[in-house]
Amino acid sequence: MKWLCVVSMLSGLAISPAFAQETPIAQGIHAQQRDVFVSNLMKQMTLEEKIGQLRLISVGPDNPKEAIRDGISKGQIGAIFNTVTRPDIRAMQDQAMQLSRLKIPLFFAYDVVHGQRTVFPISLGLAASFDLEAIALSGRVAAQEASDDGLNMTFAPMVDITRDPRWGRVSEGFGEDTWLVSKIAKVMVDAYQNGDPSKPGSVMASVKHFALYGATEGGRDYNTVDMSPLRMHQDYLPPYKAAVDAGSGGVMVSLNSINGIPATANPWLLKELLRDQWGFKGITISDHGAIKELIKHGVAEDARDAVRLAITSGVDMSMSDEYYDKYLPGLVKDGLVSESEIDRACRDVLNTKYDMGLFKDPYTHLGPVGSDPQDTNAESRLHRAEARVVARKTLVLLKNDKHTLPLSKQATIALVGPMADSQRDVMGSWSAAGVAKQSVTLREGLERAVGDKAQILYAKGANVTQDKSIIDYLNEYEPAVAFDTRPPQQMIDEAVQAANKADVVVAVVGESQGMAHEASSRADITIPQSQRDLIAALKATGKPLVLVLMNGRPLALSWESQQADAMLETWYSGTEGGNAVADVLFGDYNPSGKLPMTFPRSVGQIPLYYNHLNTGRPFGKENPGKYTSRYFDSPNGPLYPFGYGLSYTTFSLSGLTLSSPSLARNGKITASVTLKNTGKYDGAAVVQLYLQDVTASVSRPVKELRNFKKVMLKAGQSQRVELPVTEDDLKFYNASLKWGAEPGKFNVFVGLDSDNVQAQSFTLK
Ligand code: BGC
């Protein structure tokens, strides 16, 4: 493999360290110059032009290009989203610069969530890498490609904490752990903005969905969120704050309500918390259609009232706006919205454009006329090597009995399953400007890896589901799922025939990408029956059975884990997915991914997350007892815990010690443990450190991740691994929402997942 040249290619995409440390936007002299510039500009603007700046518009059936052109020329549009090629963006910017009275440039935004043209693994997969550098690399490449397409902003990172795998959007976020997601939030903002969102190669981040969208009741999309202030501050808000602290230029407001008040009409959220307490200075953007949804939420009488509520609550820009321009002038005239409220929002938008460098050069990311690529989808514009390097790190080995994996490249392999040869599925949802025909399926990856040394016998084996109503649902907006009309048994027979001729069976099963998306909540998180029938038939052949899972959420895999000899979780691994999975299946890369969300045994256990509070009657594995917090009709605890993932080698952890039995305020102690590679392959382990505050003024979680180190060891090698603990790691919100560490006893747990750990303890004075 040519990984050496990958490294040199990557160096051009590194995060500029001089900038990564500090908040890039609006500081010092820059902020003063900006204020003067924007104030002067606003003096020349009419009320209508100011309102125009607050409208974020997308081309679509209701909004043809001609209508947009008209709106741009009249100064009625502030920014555009969903336009993603340089020629299209240039044409619109030309209209603003040539036809509008004040020549205020537009900005261009898009959902670049896990890649732009080169699609990286979905965010949940990225989190599974437990590798912040790899995650940063995916963000840098995405920003570079988005900027090369002329974009100025991405609606990302999505940092909603997710503890309910029924919610399809868990695929877009980084999982259940507040500490880990907060780290990634900063990494992603730094990667996108790279110190200065105006520079070619950078885009402004707009963190979403503010706030608490991941906690929708029952995992049903758009549903209500009702949450105690303590849980909110402790568990759900920190990742957004981490993104804001890292300088995210934008914040997208969530669609849900929070304790009865929709986020879009929530001045506590958007003014008090975000602006006054967190000091956010950028723009807030409503989510798609969220303003008119205030009527259905039951807090606005009509569209006019909804507009009044949104703007006075602190929503600057209206996404897919239908009503800001229609109603704001009248609301101002009638004294229901003050002009200063419009000025405040308009100033935020103009400041943002200033920070994007658009007043200096409206074509900053576009480059000169004539520089546009001849072929937007040219292969040369992709970053395949980077995508493969990152994707390999995101794969999680869940089971590997009898050394079924890695596979021999000389074997005859039956490759079956509805996702085995699906270019659309491997990209995952929100695949931005990625082109399905450029993505590598498992079939292609495996065939390439073995060349003419082995035979791959492919059969589809099953449809993702036989339920036509679900297929229709998945195909409503794009022809995403190809439905095979042959009788299911015929497809299974074909797969069994292939299996009978093979040494090993690889079945690619799970969910098609549209099942793990916005508006894709599931009441049942098992693999659909059509695929289970296939798995059962393959199992009956007696051939070693490898399940390669493609899914965007934790699935309930109790039955599958009994059928399979090996299981590899691959999420949706992106443009280079098939190659990356082949690297792992054949042992060219030893898997090291870890689960960023708990995998429950059944849907009935949800919510199930590792960092829960204790109860007064905790369930204990050793001595379960009747009157304990448990289900009597199911084994308790997860099928696979947070932080879990195997390797082709084995590791042992021993001799956990602390450098001191007590930690001084502002001091540091170090946990040390010996990690040994006890197997036959070189490989990487993720040593995880969890803390527990044993007694505090409020109940604290049974354990919380506070540090980890990914350590590469050669077969037989051992190393002492050190993980520091400081007072900051012990801090939490008390009942009065004060942040601090309380004295007393703390447990330190170190393990290779969140469940199997060694313990020590110390005190804080
Ligand atoms: C989603 C957002 C997304 C927006 C624009 C909405 O439906 O909730 O996450 O950024 O659409 O595409």
Side-chain angles (χ1 to χ4, degrees):
M1 271 305 137
K2 311 154 214 85
W3 303 119
L4 274 181
C5 55
V6 175
V7 173
S8 61
M9 285 159 67
L10 309 188
S11 52
L13 293 161
I15 296 177
S16 131
F19 289 113
Q21 318 296 319
E22 59 194 50
T23 306
I25 294 168
Q27 284 187 338
I29 298 180
H30 168 79
Q32 280 169 27
Q33 289 168 342
R34 189 184 69 179
D35 286 349
V36 172
F37 176 88
V38 168
S39 300
N40 282 338
L41 179 57
M42 283 179 61
K43 277 185 205 140
Q44 302 166 57
M45 294 173 80
T46 63
L47 178 66
E48 282 69 23
E49 281 166 335
K50 288 176 187 168
I51 292 167
Q53 288 302 307
L54 311 184
R55 304 184 65 231
L56 173 60
I57 300 295
S58 161
V59 184
D62 303 336
N63 248 338
K65 278 186 184 172
E66 303 68 46
I68 290 193
R69 179 189 162 95
D70 191 48
I72 294 172
S73 64
K74 291 185 179 141
Q76 292 167 343
I77 294 177
I80 301 283
F81 73 113
N82 285 348
T83 293
V84 288
T85 67
R86 273 202 345 225
D88 285 346
I89 290 178
R90 187 185 300 283
M92 289 183 176
Q93 195 67 300
D94 282 347
Q95 288 158 12
M97 299 319 293
Q98 290 161 18
L99 306 179
S100 72
R101 188 178 77 89
L102 289 172
K103 308 200 185 328
I104 299 176
L106 300 160
F107 77 76
F108 295 85
Y110 195 40
D111 291 281
V112 185
V113 178
H114 55 110
Q116 165 68 349
R117 304 244 161 231
T118 312
V119 180
F120 283 80
I122 57 166
S123 302
L124 196 60
L126 290 173
S129 72
F130 274 68
D131 185 328
L132 298 179
E133 278 178 32
I135 297 170
L137 175 61
S138 77
R140 282 302 305 126
V141 172
Q144 180 74 58
E145 291 184 358
S147 166
D148 283 350
D149 278 340
L151 294 166
N152 309 103
M153 174 185 275
T154 171
F155 298 139
M158 189 286 216
V159 300
D160 303 331
I161 291 294
T162 54
R163 293 171 169 179
D164 192 331
R166 287 172 295 187
W167 195 45
R169 304 197 81 169
V170 306
S171 57
E172 290 173 54
F174 299 98
E176 75 187 30
D177 185 67
T178 307
W179 182 87
L180 182 62
V181 180
S182 301
K183 288 263 168 218
I184 297 175
K186 173 171 168 48
V187 162
M188 276 313 217
V189 171
D190 287 346
Y192 291 139
Q193 300 192 157
N194 203 19
D196 181 356
S198 74
K199 282 193 303 199
S202 304
V203 285
M204 186 176 278
S206 185
V207 64
K208 67 187 183 188
H209 305 85
F210 191 63
L212 324 181
Y213 187 20
T216 52
E217 275 181 8
R220 208 173 72 237
D221 209 357
Y222 316 122
N223 205 6
T224 302
V225 173
D226 202 306
M227 193 184 283
S228 74
L230 202 55
R231 171 164 288 189
M232 213 185 263
H233 282 85
Q234 199 64 59
D235 300 342
Y236 282 81
L237 290 174
Y240 310 108
K241 175 148 194 313
V244 166
D245 289 346
S248 179
V251 166
M252 186 186 291
V253 183
S254 60
L255 295 161
N256 53 285
S257 64
I258 297 172
N259 297 345
I261 317 280
T264 308
N266 200 322
W268 164 77
L269 184 74
L270 301 180
K271 289 187 164 171
E272 231 179 281
L273 182 71
L274 182 65
R275 304 268 180 199
D276 301 346
Q277 292 180 35
W278 293 1
F280 178 67
K281 300 257 179 336
I283 39 169
T284 52
I285 302 175
S286 79
D287 202 344
H288 205 288
I291 295 176
K292 75 172 170 204
E293 289 171 19
L294 294 177
I295 305 168
K296 297 236 165 96
H297 271 293
V299 297
E301 271 170 25
D302 50 24
R304 187 175 190 261
D305 200 28
V307 166
R308 177 190 62 79
L309 269 172
I311 190 90
T312 54
S313 301
V315 177
D316 292 342
M317 283 200 107
S318 165
M319 184 190 290
S320 267
D321 182 61
E322 293 173 71
Y323 300 125
Y324 260 26
D325 62 334
K326 202 161 170 190
Y327 293 118
L328 277 177
L331 285 164
V332 171
K333 198 158 152 254
D334 295 347
L336 292 167
V337 170
S338 66
E339 198 160 349
S340 65
E341 201 78 70
I342 309 283
D343 282 354
R344 176 197 53 72
C346 177
R347 183 176 285 280
D348 288 341
V349 176
L350 297 176
N351 283 348
T352 298
K353 292 184 175 181
Y354 190 99
D355 289 336
M356 289 171 169
L358 289 166
F359 289 115
K360 218 169 173 189
D361 177 6
Y363 299 88
T364 166
H365 288 180
L366 288 165
V369 183
S371 67
D372 296 350
Q374 284 191 335
D375 175 8
T376 298
N377 299 317
E379 266 297 313
S380 57
R381 301 189 77 217
L382 299 185
H383 293 82
R384 287 192 180 274
E386 289 85 342
R388 185 165 175 172
V389 168
V390 173
R392 305 191 315 176
K393 297 184 172 187
T394 65
L395 310 182
V396 185
L397 185 63
L398 297 176
K399 178 175 182 183
N400 193 19
D401 282 359
K402 293 176 269 165
H403 302 289
T404 307
L405 294 176
L407 302 175
S408 157
K409 282 188 186 158
Q410 255 110 57
T412 299
I413 299 167
L415 176 68
V416 301
M419 264 76 68
D421 200 23
S422 166
Q423 290 186 303
R424 176 66 193 91
D425 285 314
V426 78
M427 296 201 300
S429 67
W430 293 109
S431 46
V435 174
K437 66 177 189 309
Q438 289 180 315
S439 64
V440 179
T441 66
L442 267 272
R443 183 182 184 183
E444 195 186 339
L446 258 61
E447 284 175 350
R448 259 197 228 161
V450 298
D452 51 16
K453 284 189 268 163
Q455 232 194 328
I456 308 283
L457 306 172
Y458 169 74
K460 182 166 175 177
N463 282 309
V464 66
T465 169
Q466 277 301 121
D467 187 332
K468 264 308 247 141
S469 67
I470 295 180
I471 298 284
D472 291 346
Y473 187 77
L474 297 172
N475 285 341
E476 200 172 333
Y477 291 95
E478 57 165 330
V481 181
F483 186 78
D484 198 317
T485 53
R486 286 179 293 167
Q489 193 55 47
Q490 192 183 331
M491 294 170 75
I492 290 180
D493 291 346
E494 190 184 74
V496 166
Q497 266 177 27
N500 282 329
K501 287 187 215 145
D503 301 309
V504 58
V505 182
V506 174
V508 187
V509 292
E511 307 176 300
S512 64
Q513 56 80 30
M515 294 164 79
H517 188 30
E518 182 178 347
S520 295
S521 298
R522 295 185 67 192
D524 173 3
I525 56 163
T526 56
I527 292 182
Q529 194 56 44
S530 57
Q531 299 181 65
R532 286 184 150 195
D533 293 344
L534 172 66
I535 293 169
L538 295 170
K539 169 79 176 169
T541 65
K543 296 293 166 95
L545 178 59
V546 179
L547 295 186
V548 170
L549 301 163
M550 275 172 71
N551 46 282
R553 54 159 63 77
L555 295 174
L557 297 167
S558 297
W559 180 80
E560 286 75 4
S561 69
Q562 286 159 16
Q563 312 308 307
D565 296 292
M567 288 207 298
L568 182 70
E569 175 58 75
T570 69
W571 319 106
Y572 303 109
S573 45
T575 305
E576 279 291 303
N579 286 331
V581 176
D583 288 341
V584 167
L585 289 179
F586 291 115
D588 294 327
Y589 184 83
N590 189 353
S592 58
K594 309 291 158 198
L595 295 179
M597 266 184 96
T598 303
F599 274 44
R601 294 167 195 276
S602 68
V603 80
Q605 291 181 303
I606 297 169
L608 190 68
Y609 50 96
Y610 85 93
N611 49 355
H612 58 87
L613 302 185
N614 231 343
T615 68
R617 296 182 180 189
F619 169 81
K621 269 189 244 169
E622 312 303 325
N623 187 11
K626 180 165 182 180
Y627 290 98
T628 59
S629 188
R630 61 181 297 191
Y631 297 103
F632 74 80
D633 59 352
S634 154
N636 283 274
L639 183 64
Y640 298 115
F642 175 86
Y644 171 85
L646 302 172
S647 163
Y648 292 152
T649 193
T650 46
F651 292 98
S652 71
L653 275 184
S654 58
L656 174 65
T657 56
L658 297 180
S659 58
S660 162
S662 63
L663 172 66
R665 297 272 169 182
N666 299 316
K668 182 179 104 172
I669 58 171
T670 304
S672 315
V673 71
T674 300
L675 173 73
K676 181 161 195 222
N677 181 340
T678 49
K680 295 201 182 80
Y681 296 84
D682 301 349
V686 177
V687 182
Q688 302 159 35
L689 181 140
Y690 298 86
L691 291 177
Q692 180 192 21
D693 190 340
V694 181
T695 312
S697 59
V698 295
S699 291
R700 301 286 298 125
V702 292
K703 55 174 84 93
E704 291 177 296
L705 185 69
R706 280 294 175 269
N707 211 334
F708 69 85
K709 241 182 210 165
K710 198 167 195 173
V711 184
M712 181 74 201
L713 289 184
K714 295 210 168 305
Q717 198 186 358
S718 54
Q719 188 179 311
R720 201 80 187 140
V721 180
E722 301 199 332
L723 296 152
V725 176
T726 67
E727 188 190 344
D728 277 350
D729 298 323
L730 314 181
K731 290 182 177 166
F732 62 96
Y733 289 96
N734 69 13
S736 324
L737 299 181
K738 287 246 158 50
W739 176 246
E742 293 179 1
K745 183 180 170 194
F746 290 83
N747 288 330
V748 179
F749 303 108
V750 175
L752 298 175
D753 62 58
S754 60
D755 208 24
N756 293 301
V757 291
Q758 312 199 2
Q760 282 287 0
S761 55
F762 67 90
T763 52
L764 175 75
K765 294 254 160 57

